[in-house]
């Protein structure tokens, strides 16, 4: 176990005096860098003013400001915001909104369509719509049934679209949930924007709600602020978390269309959207999110995303000719590559060995089995990336 005492920018400082490069943004949350001064001072100021308040019948400026800024940044038409405190919770909220919508407008639609290899979180509903496997085998009896369509692997995109089309025609489902452009935990599996647009078109044709789980892909990771932008897709419901506060504090939002909100807005209290949690829209977390959103208003943050994407392409390119690696890939600021091994997959024996080797090089990387990926904060430098990829090459020399 490594004891970290301080974070700054792309670096973590350990109790024993080492400086580690955070090449995975501390599980994909840190965007502008650890302890960004603008976010830290917003947290300090808010913590001394109002640090918690019930968010039912009461509201506060930081939450209102976050909602107002999200309206400016998020896809047009997603003009209602529901706060929660983790990516998993934002997904539970999205699923409940979708089923609540059909229930409240008097239509019997309950089936949920998902994509194979997806991950949406570790709570029971989120696990149910995610891939079944090692993460949830023990909890199988708790999980509900869903219809899964295949992942649109290169050359097999049409099979995915056909499967979605068939799933949407047959006993019309309530909703389709998907990670746009990249399936993260499932192995950094990437697919093109045109497939995402086609999937939205198919759902629209059957009036099936479309949830974009942008918990991982949001906040610049895929090269645009949100992945859906690249496909010109406006989801019916969208989930954002992780980088929402710049990675400083836990917070999540689920955005939805007006008619989904309206279906729950009534004098009849049985139609209420029943979901609450003690720390909903915590003011300090909202102040951190507001500060992070301020930074996104600024062109500099977007330029950094573009420059990290270009530096990542430059760094990953030589690996395309290295026979020890397969599927060398990049979408926006995220790169991934699979180290050839006789036992691929999440439980590949090489995974923990790679991680330990890289830790020894003062690199925080956490391969998904034999899949190594790099998802740095946007303040990472070309020199940091050189060090990261040199570590990966040396790991292959030592372990492959
Ligand atoms: C796409 C996606 N959805 C949901 C989640 C769950 O988020 P959290 O860990 O904050 O509950 C994750 C976490 O990695 C994720 O990648």
């Amino acid at each position: 176990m490594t004891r970290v005492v301080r974070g700054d920018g792309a670096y973590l400082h350990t109790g024993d005096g080492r400086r580690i490069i955070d090449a995975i943004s501390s599980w994909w949350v840190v965007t502008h860098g650890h302890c960004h001064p603008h976010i830290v001072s917003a947290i300090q100021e808010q913590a001394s003013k109002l640090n918690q308040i019930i968010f039912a019948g009461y509201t506060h400026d930081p939450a209102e400001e976050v909602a107002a800024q999200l309206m400016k940044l998020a896809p047009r038409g997603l003009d209602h915001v529901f706060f929660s405190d983790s990516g998993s919770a934002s997904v539970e909220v999205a699923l409940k909104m979708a089923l609540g919508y059909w229930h409240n407008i008097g239509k019997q639609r309950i089936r949920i369509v998902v994509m194979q290899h997806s991950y949406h979180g570790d709570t029971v509903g989120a696990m149910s719509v995610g891939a079944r496997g090692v993460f949830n085998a023990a909890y199988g009896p708790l999980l509900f049934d869903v219809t899964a369509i295949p992942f649109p692997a290169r050359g097999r995109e049409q099979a995915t679209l056909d499967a979605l089309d068939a799933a949407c025609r047959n006993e019309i489902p309530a909703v389709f949930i998907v990670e746009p452009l990249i399936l993260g935990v499932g192995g950094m599996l990437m697919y093109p924007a045109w497939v995402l647009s086609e999937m939205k078109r198919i759902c629209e044709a059957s009036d099936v709600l479309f949830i974009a789980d942008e918990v991982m892909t949001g906040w610049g990771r895929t090269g645009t602020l949100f992945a859906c932008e690249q496909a010109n897709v406006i989801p019916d419901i969208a989930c954002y978390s992780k980088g929402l506060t710049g990675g400083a504090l836990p917070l999540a939002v689920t955005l939805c269309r007006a008619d989904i909100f309206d279906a729950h807005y009534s004098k009849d209290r049985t139609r209420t959207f029943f979901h609450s949690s003690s720390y909903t829209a915590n003011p300090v977390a909202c102040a951190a999110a507001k500060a992070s959103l301020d930074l996104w208003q600024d062109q500099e943050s977007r330029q950094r995303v573009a420059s990290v994407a270009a530096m990542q392409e430059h760094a990953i390119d030589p690996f395309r000719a290295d026979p020890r690696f397969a599927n060398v890939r990049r979408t926006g600021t995220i790169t991934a590559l699979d180290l050839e091994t006789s036992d691929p997959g999440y439980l590949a024996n090489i995974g923990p060995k790679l991680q330990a080797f890289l830790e020894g090089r003062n690199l925080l990387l956490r391969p998904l089995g034999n899949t190594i990926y790099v998802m740095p904060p946007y303040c990472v430098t070309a020199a940091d990336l050189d060090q990261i990829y040199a570590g990966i090459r040396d790991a292959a020399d030592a372990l492959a």
Side-chain angles (χ1 to χ4, degrees), residues 50-198:
L50 173 70
N51 57 25
Q52 169 61 1
I53 171 79
I54 178 174
F55 201 63
Y58 290 79
T59 187
H60 52 81
D61 288 348
E64 303 265 339
E65 286 162 4
V66 168
Q69 290 217 25
L70 282 168
M71 294 305 89
K72 288 191 208 142
L73 295 170
R76 211 170 9 89
L78 291 180
D79 38 20
H80 291 272
V81 179
F82 192 96
F83 287 94
S84 60
D85 43 25
S86 71
S88 304
S90 73
V91 167
E92 299 283 348
V93 166
L95 296 171
K96 285 173 70 174
M97 278 180 178
L99 291 214
Y101 169 77
W102 293 115
H103 177 269
N104 287 356
I105 66 166
K107 288 201 178 166
Q108 173 66 11
R109 289 209 193 173
I110 50 170
R111 203 156 57 85
I112 299 175
V113 182
V114 306
M115 183 178 279
Q116 187 193 24
H117 303 309
S118 296
Y119 176 83
H120 297 288
D122 278 346
T123 50
V124 171
M127 280 193 290
S128 298
V129 294
R132 304 296 158 100
V134 62
F135 301 138
N136 48 44
Y139 325 115
L142 292 178
L143 309 184
F144 53 77
D145 282 340
V146 294
T147 302
I149 61 163
F151 173 76
R154 191 197 294 254
R156 297 206 296 276
E157 294 89 350
Q158 195 54 46
T160 298
L161 301 176
D162 292 345
L164 181 60
D165 194 49
C168 287
R169 284 169 198 277
N170 171 18
E171 187 213 329
I172 301 183
V175 62
F176 172 55
I177 178 165
V178 72
E179 293 167 82
L181 301 188
I182 309 183
L183 275 54
V185 175
M188 295 297 153
L189 305 176
M190 303 180 182
Y191 64 92
W194 69 266
V195 176
L196 185 63
S197 343
E198 278 300 289

Side-chain angles (χ1 to χ4, degrees), residues 4-5 31 51 70 78 80 101 139 189 215-216 223 242 272 282 306 329 365 371:
V4 173
V5 292
T31 51
N51 57 25
L70 282 168
L78 291 180
H80 291 272
Y101 169 77
Y139 325 115
L189 305 176
V215 168
M216 188 278 276
K242 291 199 185 274
T272 301
N282 171 266
R329 54 202 184 273
L365 281 151
T371 299

Side-chain angles (χ1 to χ4, degrees), residues 381-398:
T381 64
D384 296 332
L385 289 176
D386 284 348
Q387 202 176 319
I388 293 168
Y389 287 94
I392 294 173
R393 198 171 294 106
D394 292 349
D397 290 344

